[in-house]
Amino acid sequence: MNEVEQKLEATFTDIANTRMAGLPICNEALHVQAVGFREWNDHWVGVLVTPWTISLVLMPGEKRPSQGAGSG
């Protein structure tokens, strides 16, 4: 597991255990897992599985400055 996957899993596990805990849209049989993240065109791309969704994620790579997306 690479550092990107570790950070995503830690962040979304915290969200699952706090803000999303007990909500009816969560499937308690699933757990947070970052799958197959790879570098692609100076970005990271992979799949994030959570108890409430499965998402394709594209994140800036280490060479690019990170910018906040804003609230929401």
Side-chain angles (χ1 to χ4, degrees), residues 12 41 54 64:
F12 279 87
N41 289 343
I54 299 172
R64 301 176 59 98

Side-chain angles (χ1 to χ4, degrees), residues 42-53:
D42 295 327
H43 292 77
W44 285 95
V45 65
V47 174
L48 179 65
V49 177
T50 68
W52 60 92
T53 190

Side-chain angles (χ1 to χ4, degrees), residues 1-8 44 62:
M1 179 181 306
N2 65 47
E3 185 178 346
V4 170
E5 292 171 327
Q6 291 173 346
K7 287 180 180 180
L8 277 173
W44 285 95
E62 293 294 323

Side-chain angles (χ1 to χ4, degrees), residues 14-30:
D14 181 58
I15 292 169
N17 292 333
T18 57
R19 293 183 268 175
M20 297 300 287
L23 292 179
I25 64 168
C26 290
N27 181 345
E28 294 182 17
L30 297 177

